[in-house]
């Protein structure tokens, strides 16, 4: 094959064909007589798809041989349409426009030289009061926009720390709904997205508990949107774009250094690139894709009335009155089964009932849905040595939760997944539904917005005292992965998150072993055993720098009336949590070791996690042009004295291919005039999780704050602004922390405590810890200080360098802008 080939040719090296479809048809004529692998050689270049390459049983290998689609450096299967003919827009300094490519009627993604542009977004320009059908606005501003029906409200959740709002449908979600009509001050939202996000059925005898048992029954915070996206009137920052569908024109504000007359600008057009359509009776099988980049595909369902009414991990409630029946099974009349069978995000590359399907040395990047979906009936397939990045939603999906044939024998090994999800921020890097004998091993997952790995489903009925939904999962392993800098936008997740039954015993239940998981940002756990997670073994992992717990949590086993907990084994991990050995009604904790730093862990254990040596070159594989970082998100402020504010925010996890070096916070008065700024290094922000802006005007505000990130290529666009806040004098000290405990080993101890219930007239920004051996006091700072205070969760820190068999007295006191409060004291003796 060649991008300049001829589909009337015969597909030889001297007479290559041009399209994937023609190559597929030539393969079909040959597979019956295979005496070895049949290889389709894709010469370097871009193969543009307006429709997916559809494969079925006829395109499979035979006799133990495979059909191999072999690319090389620079081989791209693209769903993009190139945008050309750029001209400056008269009367709008810096703004450029170009005609939409032929055939492009809508898209959600635009890329400039392989760098994702931001759909035009901004604060909602009016106050909104929620109604049954949408909102009543404080003015008719939106009704006067050029195309208000293009606009989409985005509801970002996460913990409600400081003055950061918790919108959406749970701390782990970010739903989206479009405007259906804007007439005067009345805004009507698109259906069924609006009802699916606001009418979720609740148990009549359990106030506030939805029958789905996942999140609230309606958009929180009075239905307030975090921001609005996709309107011409919002084009005000470099890197933003907008498609005027009626005028068939693309608008873009270039970033510094971009030259649109020379740049490759791609609008994602096709919704799927490869579609493997096997069936239970006629699976598609024995096909390999090697050395191919899959890019520039979109997903348009969220732009339609269906919207994106998220439940968890990119699963959504869909269909007219989906809120009333979808996945509710035995709990409502007409509920569809099995319980929790909501709609999975599609893959831009997907296979159902695919057997012995191989992806190796591939790149999944610049994609608008999930990258790769190995769906129902996937069997004995593999994904190896590949890169997943710059994907709107989930990176890789395996199996499903709709009661169809589970995936089995899927091996996901030695891949690098990072810098995602870019649009649907509740997505995860690797999502497994109901699967059997699957292995996720030796992958590196870093810089992701939510959980890194999510496995299983259907455990939520334990919230009302019912057993988890029966499912076919068993014998799955998540081992030897390196996971760090995760949950950098949303909360209530984990490095490895598991839901529901994982097998029938500890012997065939899920094994989470040998993973190194560190540096979590949002509130969560290193290994999160959520509702109904039964028969999981968590063994030999290295777990540190979590924002709540290393391994959690305990759940009652409702499969009988014995009052036991879901059987779980937590064994021989290196961690900071420090929980003592014991058997808590089936939740067994044994042999775990307190670590004060990674140096306490054998080097062989640390070195074994992540990419194996032959695959470590993936870490230097560049995808797209180098660029400035994406804007930080969820900016919040707190009083830091009479003329100062503390600022916190979620750091960018899309760094433009160059590490973020610093952040700059800028304060603005009510007229929009900048009045102060402060820059901190990325390393200092990682340590403290806050920036102090001082010397604010004596007028007292209120002030809003934006934050920009900088790397070697410059500063990115500013974040959406914080809610306004005025500095206040802070004089009342916080109360003492509560519940202080010292969990000891021989040379280290874990100090655990709960934030004070009263913090005076300021927020807690740190803790001061003193140890009776005379060492300097330890200042505890970081994101966990902020999120545990907001959620009243406990904290812990490890104290190293202790002597065996020695009594120590430790104090911990909360610190605010007003000063250091009274301390809690605890005494314990280290083990001999």
């Amino acid at each position: 094959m060649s991008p300049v080939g001829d589909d009337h040719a015969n597909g030889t090296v001297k007479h290559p064909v041009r399209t994937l479809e023609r190559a597929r048809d030539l393969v079909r004529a040959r597979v019956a007589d295979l005496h070895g692998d049949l290889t389709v050689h894709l010469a370097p270049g871009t193969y543009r798809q307006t429709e997916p390459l559809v494969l079925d049983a006829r395109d499979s290998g035979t006799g133990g041989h495979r059909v191999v689609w072999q690319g090389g450096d620079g081989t791209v299967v693209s769903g993009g349409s190139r945008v050309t003919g750029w001209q400056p827009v008269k009367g709008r300094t810096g703004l450029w426009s170009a005609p939409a490519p032929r055939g492009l009627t809508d898209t959600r993604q635009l890329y400039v030289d392989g760098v994702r542009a931001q759909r035009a977004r901004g604060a909602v320009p009016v106050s909104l009061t929620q109604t049954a059908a949408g909102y009543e606005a404080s003015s008719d501003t939106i009704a006067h926009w050029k195309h208000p029906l293009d606009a989409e409200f985005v509801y970002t959740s996460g913990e409600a720390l400081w003055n950061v709002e918790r919108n959406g449908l749970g701390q782990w979600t970010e739903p989206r709904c479009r405007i259906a009509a804007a007439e005067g001050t009345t805004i009507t939202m698109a259906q069924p997205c609006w009802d699916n996000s606001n009418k979720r059925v609740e148990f009549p005898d359990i106030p506030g508990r939805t029958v789905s048992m996942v999140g609230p029954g309606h958009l929180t915070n009075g239905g307030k949107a975090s921001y609005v996206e996709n309107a011409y009137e919002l084009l005000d920052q470099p890197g933003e774009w907008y498609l005027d569908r009626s005028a068939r024109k693309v608008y873009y504000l270039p970033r510094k250094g971009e030259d649109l007359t020379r740049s490759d600008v791609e609008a994602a057009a096709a919704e799927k690139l490869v579609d493997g359509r096997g069936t239970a009776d006629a699976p598609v099988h024995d096909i390999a894709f090697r050395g191919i980049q899959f890019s520039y595909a979109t997903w348009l369902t969220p732009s339609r009335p269906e919207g994106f009414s998220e439940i968890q991990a990119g699963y959504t409630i869909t269909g007219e009155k989906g809120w009333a029946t979808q996945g509710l099974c035995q709990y409502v009349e007409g509920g569809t089964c099995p319980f929790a069978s909501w709609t999975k995000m599609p893959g831009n590359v997907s296979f159902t009932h695919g057997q012995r399907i191989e992806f190796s040395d591939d790149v999944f990047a610049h994609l608008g849905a999930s990258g790769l979906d190995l769906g129902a009936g996937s069997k004995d397939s593999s994904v190896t040595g590949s890169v997943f990045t710059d994907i709107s939603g989930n990176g890789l999906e395996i199996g499903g939760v709709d009661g169809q044939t589970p995936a089995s024998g899927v091996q996901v090994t030695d891949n690098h997944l990072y810098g995602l999800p870019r649009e649907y921020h509740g997505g995860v890097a690797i999502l497994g539904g109901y699967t059997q004998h699957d292995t996720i091993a030796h992958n590196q997952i870093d810089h992701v917005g939510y959980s890194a790995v999510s496995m299983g489903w259907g455990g939520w009925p334990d919230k009302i005292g019912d057993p988890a939904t029966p499912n076919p999962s068993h014998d799955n392993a998540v081992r030897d992965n390196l996971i760090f800098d995760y949950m950098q936008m949303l909360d209530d997740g984990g490095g490895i998150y598991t839901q529901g039954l994982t097998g029938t015993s500890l012997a065939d239940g899920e094994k989470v072993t040998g993973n190194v998981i560190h540096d979590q940002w949002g509130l969560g756990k290193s290994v999160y055993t959520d509702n109904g997670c039964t028969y999981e073994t968590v063994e030999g992992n290295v777990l540190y720098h979590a924002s709540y717990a290393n391994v959690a949590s305990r759940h009652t086993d409702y499969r009988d009336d014995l009052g036991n907990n879901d059987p779980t084994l937590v064994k021989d991990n290196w961690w900071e949590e420090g929980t003592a050995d014991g058997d808590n009604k089936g939740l067994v904790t044994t042999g775990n070791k307190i670590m004060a730093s990674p140096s306490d862990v054998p080097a062989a254990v640390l070195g074994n996690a992540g990419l194996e040596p032959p695959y470590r070159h993936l870490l230097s594989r560049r995808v797209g042009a180098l660029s400035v970082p994406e804007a930080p998100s969820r900016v919040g402020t707190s009083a830091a004295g009479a003329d100062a504010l503390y600022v916190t925010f979620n750091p960018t996890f899309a760094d433009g291919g160059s590490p973020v070096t610093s952040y700059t916070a800028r304060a603005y008065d009510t007229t929009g005039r900048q009045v102060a700024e402060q820059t901190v290094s990325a390393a200092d922000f990682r340590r403290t999780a806050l920036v102090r802006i001082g010397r604010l005007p004596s007028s007292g505000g209120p002030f809003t704050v934006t934050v920009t990130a900088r790397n070697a290529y410059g500063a990115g666009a500013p974040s959406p602004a914080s809610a306004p806040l005025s500095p206040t004098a802070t004089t009342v000290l916080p109360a003492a922390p509560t519940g202080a405990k010292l969990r000891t080993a021989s040379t280290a101890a874990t100090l655990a405590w709960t934030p004070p219930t009263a913090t005076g007239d300021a927020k807690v920004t740190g803790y001061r810890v003193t140890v009776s051996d005379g060492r300097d006091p330890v200042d505890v700072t970081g994101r966990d200080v902020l999120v545990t205070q907001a959620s009243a969760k406990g904290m812990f820190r490890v104290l190293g360098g202790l002597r065996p068999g020695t009594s120590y007295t430790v104090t911990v006191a909360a610190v605010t802008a007003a000063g250091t409060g009274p301390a809690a004291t605890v005494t314990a003796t280290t083990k001999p």
Side-chain angles (χ1 to χ4, degrees), residues 362-384:
D362 297 313
V363 174
F364 297 84
H366 318 320
L367 297 172
S370 294
L372 172 62
D373 178 21
L374 299 178
S378 294
K379 184 176 181 180
D380 299 333
S381 297
S382 62
V383 184
T384 306

Side-chain angles (χ1 to χ4, degrees), residues 528-540:
Y528 191 165
T529 56
D530 204 0
N531 296 95
C533 180
T534 304
Y535 298 125
E536 178 155 316
T537 298
V538 183
E539 182 175 1

Side-chain angles (χ1 to χ4, degrees), residues 64 84 130 135 156 177 209 242 247 273 412 427 507 518 567 620 636 668 684:
T84 60
Q130 188 173 0
Y135 300 96
T156 307
C177 289
R209 172 65 71 198
Y242 170 71
L273 300 175
V412 180
H518 65 89
S620 59
Y668 301 86
D684 281 347

Side-chain angles (χ1 to χ4, degrees), residues 689-705:
L690 55 85
V691 180
R692 186 180 187 276
I693 301 182
R695 298 182 179 179
L696 293 170
S698 58
S699 62
F703 303 104
T704 58
V705 177

Side-chain angles (χ1 to χ4, degrees), residues 50 140 165 186 262 275 307 459 461-462 491 499 533 658 679 702 777:
T50 57
D140 61 356
E165 295 170 340
T186 299
R262 298 181 179 182
D275 192 3
D462 81 356
D491 294 285
Q499 242 278 347
C533 180
S658 175
T679 298

Side-chain angles (χ1 to χ4, degrees), residues 794-832:
M795 286 194 62
F796 53 85
R797 279 294 188 277
V798 175
L799 304 172
L802 306 181
R803 296 191 302 273
T806 303
S807 177
Y808 288 90
T809 297
V810 179
T811 67
V812 56
V815 179
T816 71
T820 303
T825 302
V826 60
T827 299
T829 300
T830 53
K831 299 185 184 302

Side-chain angles (χ1 to χ4, degrees), residues 784-797:
D784 56 343
V785 171
L786 311 184
V787 295
T788 53
Q789 175 191 344
S791 56
K793 303 290 188 182
M795 286 194 62
F796 53 85
R797 279 294 188 277

Side-chain angles (χ1 to χ4, degrees), residues 610-625:
L611 299 173
E612 295 174 285
Y615 297 95
R616 290 177 184 165
H617 67 278
L618 296 178
L619 300 179
S620 59
R621 188 169 187 171
R622 195 174 79 190
V623 179

